[in-house]
Amino acid sequence: MTILDFTAVVAIVSFVAGLLGSLTGLGGGVVLVPLLTIFFHVDIRYAIGASLVSVIATSSGAAASYVKEGFSNIRIGMFLEIATTFGALLGAFLATRIPTSALAIIFGAVLLYSAYLSRKPRPQAQRSLPPDPLATRLRMNGSFPDLEGPRSYNVQHVPTGFSLMFGAGALSGLLGIGSGAVKVLAMDQAMQIPFKVSTTTSNFMIGVTAAASAGVYLSRGYVDPGLAMPVMLGVLAGSLLGSRILVKAETKSLRLVFSVVILVLGLQMLYQGFWGKI
Amino acid sequence: MEVILGNLLRAGVLLSAAVVLSGACIYLSHHAHEPADYRIFRGEPSEFRTIPGVIQSVINGRGRGLIQLGLLLLIATPIARVAFSIVGFAIERDRMYVAFTLIVLAILLYSLLGSGLGTHP
């Protein structure tokens, strides 16, 4: 394949991944690394470097519109970013030390977990929980616009959420993904943050988390300009289009299709990792 | 304040995409018909791994150097956003969150500069 063909095909695949990732809310980065390694035979380290860069682009591109709607909670985001950036830095250093087959196996496991999570209904945070003393001291409780006017919420279990976020950051740094699945676990399940607030806040955090490991990846030579260029431009264009045409009726079947794709890619990554093909 | 920050993020992303795109045009016009091979990991040469190296290769008119510059701008965008948040929290006189944001900024800067990105090739 010549560089021109390769660039064009990778750009189209990245565009579709970005579009589907944004329409389903599952993120495009998670399918990019397996697609690049399995179908384009790209070394997983180059694939992770390119995917990480595209994660920053989609997160920063989308955050602008979320901030205006008043859903994202900047204080929760900034506090948890201490955990995610620290984890991301650690994950990026780990990624340069462990064998690529181990990276593929961890990636496969994360894909399977994401596929499982996307089929499960998201837990609705309970209304009117008592305020938690630590969350109150950290000024995390807030409110957001709901159908019946502003709805307030009280954040719970801050230490658990903080530790889970460290894990999410480490996975993001290790695999070059946004690791939305672990962030959901931390913010929805542990901290009981309402769905709309947790989704938008996590999206705003993803770019900062990825930036923390991107420096390490770039300086270690994992970010190839020829590969990162079509991936970044494709995913960015796809996700920007996706955020404009968000059609609610079709997302359900789209989510099903996308989670099957994630499942199959996860199994492939596990297979190739265990048999030493990556 | 938050709206300004949101627009800052969007502007940073669009600017970096434009720089990457123009680098792509130069790169493809020179190398379009060479074979693409990413099977074997070699690691990038130092001109694409450090900030001075990237700037030098942009001055030399290299397309891939321009792409890396665009990617550096992209990485800098969320970092700039964190830096501006410090100002936002300071205006609200929220010392605790000024401190938290400083910690995040320190980690980010360590990743960018401490990992050898700022050194000469």
Side-chain angles (χ1 to χ4, degrees), chain A residues 94-182:
Chain A
L94 268 180
T96 60
R97 301 216 187 295
I98 68 173
T100 50
S101 56
L103 281 180
I105 291 166
I106 300 171
F107 211 114
V110 171
L111 284 170
L112 292 190
Y113 177 69
S114 308
Y116 160 75
L117 205 72
S118 69
R119 297 316 306 153
K120 226 174 65 153
R122 289 183 75 152
Q124 265 304 318
Q126 287 169 28
R127 283 169 185 255
S128 62
L129 286 160
D132 174 87
L134 183 58
T136 309
R137 222 170 64 209
L138 292 169
R139 283 178 232 144
M140 281 178 172
N141 304 326
S143 64
F144 68 97
D146 201 11
L147 292 174
E148 313 116 42
R151 216 184 101 188
S152 60
Y153 52 90
N154 291 319
V155 177
Q156 309 289 314
H157 307 297
V158 178
T160 317
F162 192 80
S163 341
L164 282 170
M165 277 301 183
F166 177 78
L171 276 182
S172 163
L174 193 62
L175 306 174
I177 56 175
S179 52
V182 185

Side-chain angles (χ1 to χ4, degrees), chain B residues 93-113:
Chain B
R93 296 181 187 280
D94 191 337
R95 278 195 202 156
M96 182 164 59
Y97 273 86
V98 169
F100 288 157
T101 314
L102 279 171
I103 297 172
V104 174
L105 188 67
I107 297 173
L108 289 170
L109 290 179
Y110 171 76
S111 158
L112 259 188
L113 306 172

